[in-house]
Amino acid sequence: MPIAKGCRVGVLGAGQLGRMLALAGYPLGHQFAFSSATPDEPACLLGQVYDNTPESLQAMAQQCDVMTYESENTPVELVDQLNTITPVYPSAPSLYYAQNRGREKALFTELAIPCAPYQCVNNLDDLKKAIEAIGLPAVLKTTTEGYDGKGQFVIQTPAQSDQAWLAIGEKPAILEGFISFKRELSMIAVRNADNQQVYYPLVENQHHDGILRLTLAPASQIDPHIQQQAQDYMQALLNKMNHVGVLTLELFETENGLIANEMAPRVHNSGHWTIEGARTSQFENHIRAITGLPLGATTPRQPYAAMINIIGEYGDLTPAFSMPNVHVHLYDKTERPARKIGHITVLAQSQAELDNTLQSLSQTLHLNK
Ligand code: AMP
């Protein structure tokens, strides 16, 4: 791919991910366009906005040099169709696997990436058979469109199968074995069309009510061979899907090593720390990858970093603005329960400095809303 300068980049979606992609892409001389149903989404002020009608999206593709998307729920057919007009990255195979839990698990299995035992479930009868095969506890998850813990039910006893099936809306699903994990980790990798690949360090993610609250970067006490193992899994996925752009893999760390949970073919909340915390952010590297530029270094700028999501309410941010090692990002969204409206990155030279800063912030922010 020739090195592209001054590209017009189209993003399907106009939320905070699109906003941060544009904020990373403007210094490289690019321009941005977004698709949005309403003109007040977080990215809308950062480029031309197209509505979501087929004609409008087609016009957008005609005016863009390259396109990308914010969500793994973007229809594969739409990406295929727009790709006949202008290149869309990551291309359709990445979406095809990542937006369906059954296909995703089958791919992990094909590539010898360890994952929870699972069975596909299309009706209540299937569910009862799957419970017998996999054992309990187990997690029932809708095959598509689950996020932030939605569309899931943890089944503890066989008597709960009817309740679980109703709770997930009687939709095609997978039942997967419950993994007893020590920590949740994730890795972000990036590949460009010249097959250059870079990997960020494994990070630790802490959730509350199914929503990411805190990322610690890098995750503490990661043995180099565990980092390498995660990179090998990523490499297998990137190559198999001919992926161009950022790919995120969520993993469980267990007594017996890493177990893959799910992947996202996009920039990810667990990579927001990279904006100030890494030599090149996930957003810049995604833009570099899809516009044919060489990828940037992924090494941390300081030994310790953390990313705190601001969820539901802003709380009192005044102290955060006066801390020299803290960076506040607000997405221009109104407060609403369980909504991601901003994040804060903390950089530190020592574990003690990180802990102290997190402790101070937790006193003024509403961290568990
Ligand atoms: P997911 O939407 O697959 O990322 O799941 C949301 C959260 O549910 C994960 O972050 C885990 O905390 C938990 N979870 C998902 N799958 C499993 C599993 N098989 N065993 C135990 N916990 C799980």
Side-chain angles (χ1 to χ4, degrees):
M1 198 195 256
I3 286 195
K5 294 191 189 80
C7 287
R8 199 165 149 87
V9 179
V11 183
L12 296 172
Q16 64 264 24
L17 300 181
R19 181 183 172 97
M20 289 185 272
L21 282 169
L23 290 171
Y26 277 112
L28 298 175
H30 299 318
Q31 292 175 29
F32 284 79
F34 304 92
S35 71
S36 175
T38 60
D40 57 356
E41 287 202 83
C44 288
L45 286 176
L46 287 155
Q48 188 166 351
V49 180
Y50 294 81
D51 64 41
N52 286 319
T53 60
E55 303 74 41
S56 191
L57 294 178
Q58 200 171 328
M60 181 179 175
Q62 277 158 356
Q63 282 148 36
C64 287
D65 299 301
V66 64
M67 291 183 80
T68 188
Y69 44 85
E70 276 190 323
S71 166
E72 59 273 32
N73 294 324
T74 308
V76 174
E77 308 72 43
L78 175 63
V79 166
D80 269 336
Q81 193 209 334
L82 297 176
N83 197 49
T84 63
I85 304 171
T86 198
V88 185
Y89 297 120
S91 56
S94 300
L95 265 183
Y96 172 84
Y97 288 113
Q99 68 184 207
N100 179 299
R101 290 187 192 271
R103 288 181 208 142
E104 184 179 59
K105 286 276 194 289
L107 180 65
F108 290 156
T109 309
E110 179 191 329
L111 299 176
I113 299 172
C115 62
Y118 76 100
Q119 277 199 5
C120 296
V121 168
N122 288 312
N123 51 50
L124 189 54
D125 207 38
D126 284 354
L127 175 57
K128 289 180 178 163
K129 287 185 189 135
I131 289 175
E132 272 173 40
I134 286 169
L136 294 178
V139 191
L140 185 64
K141 300 179 176 179
T142 53
T143 310
T144 57
E145 295 193 348
Y147 67 97
D148 286 349
K150 294 189 177 66
Q152 295 195 17
F153 192 103
V154 180
I155 306 177
Q156 304 284 356
T157 69
Q160 286 179 303
S161 48
D162 294 55
Q163 188 193 349
W165 183 239
L166 276 178
I168 65 148
E170 303 175 281
K171 292 184 182 142
I174 62 166
L175 184 75
E176 60 178 59
F178 191 88
I179 304 295
S180 165
F181 55 80
K182 293 194 283 186
R183 292 188 291 186
E184 292 190 67
L185 306 175
S186 62
M187 176 174 276
I188 286 172
V190 200
R191 177 177 178 273
N192 67 12
D194 293 332
N195 199 25
Q196 185 191 358
Q197 301 186 8
V198 292
Y199 309 90
Y200 289 89
L202 279 164
V203 299
E204 174 180 344
N205 299 316
Q206 297 178 11
H207 300 85
H208 179 82
D209 288 342
I211 303 176
L212 181 66
R213 303 285 152 162
L214 178 70
T215 294
L216 298 170
S220 63
Q221 296 175 324
I222 294 288
D223 196 280
H225 94 266
I226 295 289
Q227 171 76 20
Q228 186 58 49
Q229 195 159 50
Q231 291 185 191
D232 291 346
Y233 298 157
M234 292 301 271
Q235 188 177 34
L237 290 164
L238 292 170
N239 291 343
K240 168 76 186 183
M241 300 188 295
N242 216 9
H243 188 91
V244 172
V246 162
L247 179 70
T248 306
L249 181 63
E250 295 182 32
L251 299 141
F252 299 129
E253 183 185 35
T254 74
E255 296 294 345
N256 303 316
L258 296 175
I259 293 188
N261 178 29
E262 61 177 3
M263 62 181 174
R266 58 168 171 82
V267 286
H268 194 260
N269 196 173
S270 68
H272 291 1
W273 68 276
T274 61
I275 296 176
E276 291 89 11
R279 298 254 168 231
T280 317
S281 79
Q282 63 162 347
F283 299 100
E284 180 174 340
N285 262 336
H286 185 75
I287 296 297
R288 289 193 192 202
I290 68 171
T291 57
L293 293 172
L295 303 179
T298 53
T299 38
R301 287 178 186 271
Q302 291 213 19
Y304 298 86
M307 188 285 311
I308 308 164
N309 267 339
I310 304 174
I311 293 166
E313 288 175 32
Y314 288 104
D316 181 7
L317 289 165
T318 318
F321 282 107
S322 61
M323 296 178 189
N325 55 346
V326 167
H327 303 269
V328 179
H329 295 253
L330 305 176
Y331 306 151
D332 194 14
K333 287 165 98 174
T334 49
E335 295 181 331
R336 193 197 297 157
R339 191 179 204 199
K340 292 174 183 169
I341 53 179
H343 75 265
I344 291 177
T345 302
V346 181
L347 302 182
Q349 287 292 346
S350 68
Q351 185 70 53
E353 187 191 354
L354 184 72
D355 292 346
N356 288 339
T357 310
L358 291 177
Q359 174 66 25
S360 308
L361 288 169
S362 70
Q363 283 161 11
T364 55
L365 292 170
H366 296 248
L367 293 182
N368 284 325
K369 295 280 171 183

